[in-house]
Amino acid sequence: MVNGDSGATRVMTQQRGGEVLLQRKIELEVVDGPDQGKRAALTDERLSIGSHPQSDLALSDETVSRQHAELRLSPKGVLVVDLDSTNGTAVGGVRVREAFVPEQGELRVGKTRIRLRVSDETVSHPLFGETRFGSMIGNSPLMRALFSKLERVGKTDATVLLNGESGTGKELAARAVHDASARAEGPFVVVDCGALPSTLIESELFGHEKGAFTGAAHSRQGAFEQADGGTLFLDEIGELELELQPRLLRALESREVRRLGANRTRPVNIRVVAATNRDLGRRVAEGAFREDLYYRLAVVQLTMPSLRDRREDIPLLVRYFIEQLGSGDAALSVSDAMLSALAARPWPGNVRELRNVVERAIALGDEDVVAHGVAAAAASAAAGATTPATSGETSGSNDNDAGALIPTLRELPYKIARAQLLEAFERDYLAALLERREGNLTQSAREAEIDRVYLLRLLDKYDMRKK
């Protein structure tokens, strides 16, 4: 990653009516290319660049992909993310996958050159007046700005897409949106698209009639029907199989569903909130997620901050977890040393991991477990799980292979442990496969019984393709 000068893009201040988060407007101008002179501005979390007409900065340059790149405002500055474009994204003349763009900097997408300038103008984002919204807790400006947005969007029926790492509280945010809406008295139905096998997900979403398939002894409502009058939360939507996405799109657009084995459709009155820890823009560029479904889901797109970006909330969260989980002899005192140790951790599992660490410390009755033991073990497990295997290592010789990781991964939340174990397995499998086939991709794909294009995607995912 190329580092840049982030500058003071955000600052909290007091205005009439309460506190606001002031964000300096990032102005973009096309200075070279077919669209020279075209302008746009990054005034919130994200700005999309591409040839798709719905892009925030839509370009006519034929060398620009439909989903080419995205600018994201982070606490460290403006991050440009290339969405696996055909002709690449460059910062300072260097082609990048992700990079911070310096203030007054330039980037190139295809043959188009774009200049960025941090304006003196500011955009104000109101901060929520409380440190809690629904079951979420936070006093940091990032969280209170998010609470304010969630409250406002809750009053509408707009479809919401929640982005964020595992453990940041996407389901809590979805439920808070539901509770803040006119549908609060209706059902809140959750479908985890990443946990259900592909053979069951269609029945789970749309239901089935008796005899629709082997084992369908009774008719059953799907999640769409169950959520009628309320909210349907599609968790891990980025994991949904490609072949099911057209049917989901039709249901979202028509607000009608047809059970498996049925001849008629049924109307449903639902509000949809979806969540993902995947980069859906990149998934679209890879051909793994439908572009039209992405735009249908991303009517309102919000990002859940990682715990690393809101470390000032750790003392508040720790005290809340202790109050919630501890009682009597199981109570845990909070010391400055304990909070300092917690604040220094990388927290790959975010708030969920922090809660688990506090819960274990309460169970053992020792704050040193928090300060030096459990948190360190979790961090060590995360670091070990993401250690790439080299091309010369096989599954039998790599100390960080999937089997060796299992004991340490047990310290982490289920979803994070599963993802890290899968990543470790894929790295190890690919390294051994390529070694056996001496780097021959066609033979490797044939042995693994996978498509060659899919093999290339896996190798690119872990930066294992020979340059």
Side-chain angles (χ1 to χ4, degrees):
M1 182 179 292
V2 179
N3 291 317
D5 180 11
S6 63
T9 55
R10 284 173 168 164
V11 62
M12 188 174 71
T13 188
Q14 188 81 26
Q15 287 187 355
R16 178 181 294 182
E19 290 180 311
V20 298
L21 187 63
L22 292 181
Q23 174 185 319
R24 294 170 66 187
K25 184 186 294 185
I26 312 296
E27 296 178 340
L28 286 75
E29 181 183 2
V30 177
V31 294
D32 189 20
D35 303 282
Q36 187 171 354
K38 193 166 189 176
R39 297 173 181 268
L42 175 62
T43 59
D44 206 339
E45 297 175 353
R46 295 169 179 246
L47 181 143
S48 58
I49 302 173
S51 60
H52 192 284
Q54 293 191 42
S55 298
D56 298 315
L57 181 58
L59 301 172
S60 60
D61 184 350
E62 293 182 352
T63 64
V64 170
S65 301
R66 287 173 65 81
Q67 303 274 345
H68 195 105
E70 195 171 68
L71 293 181
R72 301 174 185 173
L73 188 64
S74 78
K76 297 179 181 178
V78 180
L79 183 71
V80 61
V81 179
D82 181 78
L83 301 177
D84 285 342
S85 64
T86 302
N87 294 303
T89 300
V91 175
V94 179
R95 185 164 176 168
V96 298
R97 185 176 174 87
E98 293 185 7
F100 284 106
V101 184
E103 291 186 9
Q104 324 304 330
E106 289 187 356
L107 61 92
R108 181 179 290 276
V109 293
K111 294 182 179 179
T112 294
R113 188 159 53 93
I114 302 169
R115 181 174 297 151
L116 275 68
R117 185 178 74 87
V118 179
S119 171
D120 292 333
E121 295 182 51
T122 58
V123 180
S124 62
H125 301 285
L127 300 184
F128 197 64
E130 306 292 334
T131 60
R132 292 192 62 169
F133 183 68
S135 298
M136 294 180 293
I137 296 175
N139 193 39
S140 61
L142 282 179
M143 287 304 291
R144 290 173 58 199
L146 175 66
F147 292 167
S148 182
K149 293 174 184 175
L150 291 171
E151 182 192 37
R152 294 199 305 274
V153 77
K155 297 175 182 177
T156 74
D157 250 358
T159 303
V160 180
L161 176 62
L162 298 170
N163 300 284
E165 299 173 9
S166 294
T168 51
K170 295 186 290 294
E171 183 172 343
L172 296 181
R175 182 172 286 278
V177 167
H178 171 74
D179 291 341
S181 73
R183 299 173 176 271
E185 299 301 318
F188 178 79
V189 178
V190 179
V191 177
D192 189 339
C193 301
L196 290 170
S198 57
T199 53
L200 295 180
I201 186 68
E202 193 169 11
S203 174
E204 183 70 21
L205 287 172
F206 307 116
H208 62 259
E209 296 291 354
K210 180 180 178 180
F213 51 84
T214 304
H218 305 282
S219 296
R220 180 183 181 276
Q221 284 187 335
F224 272 83
E225 289 184 70
Q226 295 170 27
D228 193 27
T231 300
L232 174 61
F233 176 51
L234 301 174
D235 196 12
E236 304 298 351
I237 188 67
E239 308 301 326
L240 188 67
E241 296 288 341
L242 190 61
E243 57 266 25
L244 286 177
Q245 293 176 23
R247 188 167 180 193
L248 175 60
L249 177 63
R250 286 194 296 272
L252 293 176
E253 290 181 335
S254 67
R255 290 301 197 263
E256 291 181 339
V257 296
R258 187 174 70 228
R259 295 180 184 179
L260 295 177
N263 295 320
R264 66 183 182 90
T265 60
R266 301 166 186 261
V268 288
N269 174 21
I270 61 170
R271 196 260 183 85
V272 174
V273 179
T276 181
N277 62 4
R278 295 287 198 112
D279 190 326
L280 284 193
R282 186 167 280 161
R283 296 276 286 169
V284 169
E286 294 170 348
F289 202 85
R290 288 180 63 101
E291 185 178 62
D292 46 5
L293 178 57
Y294 170 69
Y295 281 111
R296 187 65 187 83
L297 292 170
V299 176
V300 177
Q301 194 167 184
L302 299 174
T303 300
M304 304 294 297
S306 68
L307 189 57
R308 297 182 300 280
D309 290 337
R310 47 179 291 226
R311 294 180 187 273
E312 61 266 49
D313 286 335
I314 289 178
L316 184 67
L317 289 165
V318 169
R319 291 186 174 91
Y320 170 74
F321 292 145
I322 290 174
E323 180 182 338
Q324 182 187 51
L325 301 170
S327 61
D329 294 338
L332 184 73
S333 61
V334 181
S335 67
D336 290 341
M338 170 183 171
L339 294 177
S340 296
L342 292 173
R345 298 300 174 187
W347 298 115
N350 293 291
V351 178
R352 186 189 292 123
E353 183 186 357
L354 175 62
R355 185 187 189 279
N356 290 352
V357 166
V358 173
E359 184 173 12
R360 179 167 176 176
I362 290 173
L364 297 177
D366 185 0
E367 78 168 58
D368 286 340
V369 173
V370 175
H372 305 295
V374 179
S380 175
T386 55
T387 301
T390 63
S391 59
E393 291 173 331
T394 66
S395 57
S397 62
N398 183 12
D399 291 337
N400 286 319
D401 66 13
L405 281 172
I406 290 176
T408 51
L409 286 175
R410 288 172 182 153
E411 302 289 347
L412 297 176
Y414 168 75
K415 283 188 177 181
I416 297 166
R418 183 182 67 176
Q420 292 181 355
L421 185 61
L422 176 61
E423 179 177 327
F425 163 75
E426 287 182 337
R427 287 181 185 276
D428 185 75
Y429 182 92
L430 291 170
L433 178 67
L434 291 175
E435 183 180 28
R436 285 195 303 274
R437 292 300 174 181
E438 298 180 343
N440 186 301
L441 298 181
T442 300
Q443 292 180 12
S444 296
R446 187 178 297 120
E447 178 183 329
E449 297 183 3
I450 59 176
D451 186 79
R452 189 175 187 274
V453 173
Y454 183 64
L455 174 62
L456 289 173
R457 287 177 182 167
L458 285 174
L459 295 175
D460 287 340
K461 177 181 178 181
Y462 299 115
D463 197 23
M464 295 174 67
R465 202 200 303 199
K466 290 183 178 179
K467 305 300 182 183

